[in-house]
Amino acid sequence: MDSIYNDLNAPHSMGTTIIGVTYDGGVVLGADSRTSTGMYVANRASDKITQLTDNVYICRSGSAADSQVLSDYVRYYLHQHTIQLGQPATVKVAANLVRMVSYNNKNMLQTGLIVGGWDKHEGGKIYGIPLGGTLLEQPFTIGGSGSSYLYGFFDQVWKEGMTQDEAEKLVVKAVSLAIARDGASGGVVRTVTINKDGVSRKFFPGNTLPLWHEELEAKDSLLDGLSAASPEPMVS
Amino acid sequence: MMNLADSAPVTNNLLGSEADSQRTLYPYVTGTSVIGIKYKDGILFAADMGGSYGSTLRYKSVERLKSVGKHSVIGASGEISDFQEIMRYLDELILYDNMWDDGNSVGPKEVHNYLTRVMYNRRNKFNPLWNSLVLGGIKNGQKYLGTVSMIGVNYVDDHVATGFGNHLARPILRDEWHENLTYEEGVKLLEKCMRVLLYRDRSAVNKLQIAKITDEGFTLSEPYSLKTFWDFNAFKNPTLGAEGSW
């Protein structure tokens, strides 16, 4: 049996569940908050939805270090681009920059990303950039190890033109389902909603999430709700 | 088949650490077969819209057929990110050709040759673009259809295919292709091949596009799905009379 101490030096990986969906008027990005080093949860409240510009955010999965440094590079490029352009960068440009870094360093990077945002030319857009650096514009996309458990779910419930409320509820439900089954995903559910009116961050701690199969309502203690004495031994 | 669960790049002592140089060692998001045939007025291509991630059928709306300039069509199988990069190279090639503004335009033979050089040179550097490409077109009435692989193997023929298409589609085409197929005959023939691929290729997805190039120009069909047939007596109860067998 391997010593657990090996794991503490293992690279930080965000097993992760990340989601991006478009709705009528914008996009909703969602993620779990678990960062693990091997079997140890190094950070149980990470923020995997990172800002690139005022109107474009990125969901990060895979290697924590790789996704952070890639985001830093792209934020830097976008900052310069915005100055030179004189107006906010489009989501498409942001996504293409992420693709460029991802593709040109494909042998070294191990991170799957979702870029989502809103701009005045195209409205809300979601781009998936999996391992290898393929760029795909999609109405919605899922990523990270937890996403394996969500393909069937989305096949069934996805529909175009949802309202903001429907889209947010869908994302929260989906991340919560993935957390239930993926050991590498956990913690809280974070969402970021982006539309013409700006950006809105939301936070859903475990106790606000629905309970799934074989999960029980959380209690403070066994001793809760026990009125007087301990239960009598059963007599047949 | 490769196991593509997100595993860290491995150090192979013979080739040095993978992180050392720029070398694509394995594909991630891949497209499967492409088929191309010559017909009376030009070239017809068929490809499904699947992007597989290992054994998962992850993406189902990937366009793997693209036009190149006015006279050519390219179809790609293999790593999609490398195909997207090839499209960037080709768009640049066409742009520079247009900038000459001399009335000439890059034709399918030139594009095929260019691609062959690119693919072969990358192969020689042990950093291939992980694709098999089909390239076809028509210029001044002259039809052209060829293929290039990730190691630079290239040739022309009346019908070409990549991947599984070579094994399943080309035998059908060898039997049933002939000079001067009409558009309808061509499409039906391609659909026959695509249906077999759908039955027998695990990475096939039931959503495809047909591309056509003639002297009039390029058209790409809307995505559509094929009907499949399962209503055979032999399928209904295969173990009847031999319970416990398979």
Side-chain angles (χ1 to χ4, degrees), chain A residues 96 99 103-108 110 130-136 138 141-143 151, chain B residues 6 8-9 19 21-24 28-29 53 58-59 79-82 84-85 88 129:
Chain A
N96 273 97
R99 179 216 79 99
Y103 180 79
N104 289 328
N105 297 289
K106 62 159 74 192
N107 296 320
M108 287 181 283
Q110 204 192 111
L131 259 48
T134 309
L135 172 72
L136 287 167
Q138 300 166 277
T141 192
I142 56 182
Y151 285 100
Chain B
D6 294 354
S21 55
Q22 263 279 13
R23 39 166 74 188
T24 314
Y28 290 100
V29 181
Y53 188 81
R58 186 163 179 179
Y59 302 106
E79 168 66 42
I80 301 297
S81 67
D82 285 346
Q84 291 180 342
E85 191 73 356
R88 291 169 95 92
L129 288 160

Side-chain angles (χ1 to χ4, degrees), chain A residues 3 21 41 61 72 74 82 97 101 126 134 138 151 165 183 186 230-231:
Chain A
S3 162
V21 326
V41 177
S61 78
D72 284 345
V74 174
T82 304
L97 286 168
V101 179
I126 293 287
T134 309
Q138 300 166 277
Y151 285 100
D165 192 61
S230 55

Side-chain angles (χ1 to χ4, degrees), chain A residues 25-106:
Chain A
V27 299
V28 179
L29 301 176
D32 74 307
S33 71
R34 176 170 288 186
T35 302
S36 24
T37 9
M39 284 286 130
Y40 175 67
V41 177
N43 186 351
R44 64 183 172 100
S46 338
D47 183 7
K48 304 182 188 182
I49 310 177
T50 296
Q51 185 184 36
L52 294 179
T53 68
D54 287 343
N55 54 317
V56 182
Y57 278 66
I58 186 170
C59 296
R60 303 177 294 109
S61 78
S63 159
D66 288 352
S67 66
Q68 283 170 4
V69 83
L70 185 150
S71 302
D72 284 345
Y73 267 107
V74 174
R75 191 179 310 113
Y76 163 64
Y77 294 141
L78 279 171
H79 187 205
Q80 294 197 318
H81 173 70
T82 304
I83 290 169
Q84 289 163 3
L85 195 66
Q87 40 179 298
T90 58
V91 189
K92 183 187 265 195
V93 165
N96 273 97
L97 286 168
V98 174
R99 179 216 79 99
M100 181 188 77
V101 179
S102 202
Y103 180 79
N104 289 328
N105 297 289
K106 62 159 74 192

Side-chain angles (χ1 to χ4, degrees), chain B residues 64-218:
Chain B
R64 299 192 292 115
L65 301 171
K66 299 274 183 191
S67 71
V68 182
K70 288 189 296 227
H71 305 286
S72 317
V73 189
I74 185 174
S77 65
E79 168 66 42
I80 301 297
S81 67
D82 285 346
F83 174 51
Q84 291 180 342
E85 191 73 356
I86 286 170
M87 286 315 299
R88 291 169 95 92
Y89 288 145
L90 290 177
D91 289 340
E92 187 185 54
L93 182 77
I94 300 299
L95 178 70
Y96 274 81
D97 181 59
N98 288 341
M99 280 163 65
W100 283 103
D101 201 21
D102 59 359
N104 279 325
S105 48
V106 164
K109 188 173 180 159
E110 290 90 78
V111 178
H112 187 224
N113 186 248
Y114 173 79
L115 286 170
T116 302
R117 289 299 109 224
V118 170
M119 301 300 272
Y120 183 61
N121 269 277
R122 289 285 298 255
R123 166 262 192 196
N124 285 342
K125 296 190 279 191
F126 283 92
N127 184 204
L129 288 160
W130 207 285
N131 298 110
S132 285
L133 307 167
V134 175
L135 196 295
I138 178 168
K139 190 170 160 195
N140 301 329
Q142 281 270 39
K143 293 181 278 224
Y144 187 93
L145 181 61
T147 180
V148 199
S149 77
M150 68 186 258
I151 56 172
V153 171
N154 72 98
Y155 52 89
V156 294
D157 209 337
D158 296 324
H159 45 79
V160 293
T162 67
F164 260 69
N166 276 308
H167 300 104
L168 298 174
R170 293 199 75 199
I172 298 175
L173 295 169
R174 271 182 218 120
D175 243 6
E176 301 187 22
W177 183 90
H178 58 83
E179 204 85 50
N180 295 319
L181 286 164
T182 64
Y183 170 73
E184 287 75 24
E185 287 174 329
V187 170
K188 284 235 150 52
L189 188 51
L190 285 176
E191 286 176 343
K192 184 172 185 176
C193 295
M194 292 302 285
R195 187 173 288 109
V196 171
L197 288 168
L198 189 55
Y199 290 141
R200 299 293 182 174
D201 178 0
R202 264 176 50 167
S203 25
V205 133
N206 196 1
K207 189 166 164 195
L208 65 141
Q209 289 178 302
I210 305 263
K212 164 166 81 79
I213 186 133
T214 61
D215 268 325
E216 262 112 55
F218 168 78

